[in-house]
Amino acid sequence: QVKLVESGGGSVQAGGSLRLSCVASGYRYSRPCMGWIRQLPGKEREGVASLDSDGSTYYKDSVKGRFTISEDNVKNSISLQMDDLKPEDTAMYSCSLCTVISGTPHFNFFGQGTQVTVTA
């Protein structure tokens, strides 16, 4: 049974940084496409970033140049370094598995999530 466990998150002032990490357990094969989505109450999920098994990445336009997704040394583990955070980045962030179709990631399995709050 696949399980995604996130760590990191918290509260920071605008301009600050946070790092999220995620470990996928129960996955028998090489690291699948993994990424991050975020969601505000009453809003739809939105894809933030993804890292495919071939190393290709995707970033939501509003986070390009500020967020960096990378593979960790731990098997089936990724991190999301978030710099220059803005109040509009405030959301529940969840680790996700994904499938890339024609260059676009489709996020389809989610962890419990970790809250990121950015104050002005």
Side-chain angles (χ1 to χ4, degrees):
Q1 182 178 356
V2 177
K3 186 176 181 181
L4 302 176
V5 179
E6 301 102 337
S7 60
S11 183
V12 67
Q13 287 188 327
S17 298
L18 286 172
R19 186 177 182 88
L20 307 181
S21 295
C22 173
V23 178
S25 61
Y27 204 84
R28 298 174 60 186
Y29 309 105
S30 59
R31 183 183 59 76
C33 174
M34 294 176 67
W36 296 89
I37 59 95
R38 65 189 184 188
Q39 187 172 24
L40 284 169
K43 298 283 185 69
E44 291 189 358
R45 293 187 186 106
E46 56 180 21
V48 176
S50 68
L51 178 63
D52 203 357
S53 55
D54 64 359
S56 58
T57 58
Y58 157 86
Y59 293 98
K60 178 179 173 60
D61 283 346
S62 62
V63 308
K64 286 180 180 176
R66 301 188 296 121
F67 290 12
T68 304
I69 191 168
S70 61
E71 184 172 22
D72 291 341
N73 291 330
V74 177
K75 184 181 178 181
N76 293 344
S77 175
I78 61 167
S79 289
L80 184 69
Q81 177 67 36
M82 305 184 293
D83 298 318
D84 190 23
L85 282 160
K86 304 177 186 299
E88 52 264 39
D89 294 318
T90 295
M92 179 69 75
Y93 284 70
S94 297
C95 183
S96 172
L97 300 182
C98 44
T99 303
V100 178
I101 301 174
S102 299
T104 300
H106 297 262
F107 301 92
N108 49 45
F109 183 84
F110 310 101
Q112 292 288 338
T114 183
Q115 179 67 34
V116 170
T117 301
V118 184
T119 56

